Amino acid sequence: MGRPITETDRRAVRRHHAAGMSRNAIAKKIGRSASTVSKIASSFEPPLSFDRAAEVATATAVRKADLDQRRTEMAHRLHDVAERELGKMTERTLYWEWGGKDHTYAQKEQPEPTPADRRTMMATAGAALDRSLKLLPPKQDPGTEGRSVVGELMAGLARDYVARHGGPPPDADDDQAAADGQ
């Protein structure tokens, strides 16, 4: 059986709780178990609570926001890598080597990298873009946005036609039939 709870323990728990310490921190500070601190806290009227759900929720939200920011920054950096690699594909490239028994140095400049090097650059750029898009997917398909703009334009023209002519615009088939003389 553990040692009995003293009035000193009760005062210490109340004082540390008022200072905002957690149950485990109080237990460590006064040299008692966390369950003993909980027992002491529940003996007060009203009982002392160590419920920190609101604090935990706030801390979790802040942590998620920080991770979102870091993920966004990483996605931008990966896009930069991809652009840099794609830019190298058409730049002049210096190739060099050490060789021979005399360890001679030779270099050659070419207008573009070799096909093998270009393939490597393309793979690097593709991997960087792929990871970037996984970290930060596009918010909306650009084609969808373009279609919605055209749709809104057509709807606006139809409303304007109704306002001017008092009825819906004729169908394209009706226009073609009138042009054919039917």
Side-chain angles (χ1 to χ4, degrees):
M1 177 170 203
R3 70 175 200 250
I5 297 171
T6 66
E7 193 57 37
T8 303
D9 292 333
R10 293 174 51 78
R11 281 193 305 270
V13 168
R14 184 181 289 279
R15 183 178 65 251
H16 293 310
H17 180 270
M21 288 178 70
S22 70
R23 180 192 66 164
N24 292 345
I26 293 171
K28 187 173 183 179
K29 182 92 170 172
I30 67 172
R32 300 301 296 254
S33 71
S35 63
T36 300
V37 172
S38 291
K39 190 182 295 180
I40 294 169
S42 65
S43 70
F44 290 106
E45 194 52 50
L48 302 179
S49 171
F50 293 101
D51 181 22
R52 298 178 55 212
E55 292 175 39
V56 170
T58 301
T60 300
V62 168
R63 178 76 174 140
K64 284 181 180 178
D66 289 346
L67 287 173
D68 285 345
Q69 177 63 31
R70 290 175 61 194
R71 190 172 27 260
T72 299
E73 290 169 3
M74 181 62 72
H76 287 283
R77 288 177 56 198
L78 286 167
H79 258 78
D80 292 344
V81 167
E83 287 177 357
R84 190 171 48 248
E85 287 299 311
L86 291 174
K88 288 180 190 178
M89 291 179 66
T90 57
E91 292 178 355
R92 295 190 66 76
T93 305
L94 177 67
Y95 288 96
W96 56 271
E97 65 182 359
W98 288 96
K101 64 178 179 150
D102 298 325
H103 297 285
T104 57
Y105 174 79
Q107 70 180 32
K108 178 182 180 182
E109 191 169 325
Q110 291 189 193
E112 290 185 341
T114 64
D117 287 345
R118 290 175 60 138
R119 218 176 7 261
T120 302
M121 290 171 193
M122 183 61 82
T124 302
L129 283 174
D130 180 56
R131 298 307 184 272
S132 171
L133 291 172
K134 284 183 180 176
L135 285 171
L136 193 64
K139 293 195 187 295
Q140 185 175 359
D141 177 19
T144 305
E145 184 178 320
R147 286 190 298 275
S148 66
V149 169
V150 171
E152 289 175 25
L153 178 61
M154 293 302 291
L157 290 172
R159 284 190 301 270
D160 183 58
Y161 188 91
V162 169
R164 289 182 192 213
H165 301 286
D171 288 338
D173 294 338
D174 295 341
D175 291 342
Q176 186 62 38
D180 291 344
Q182 296 178 347

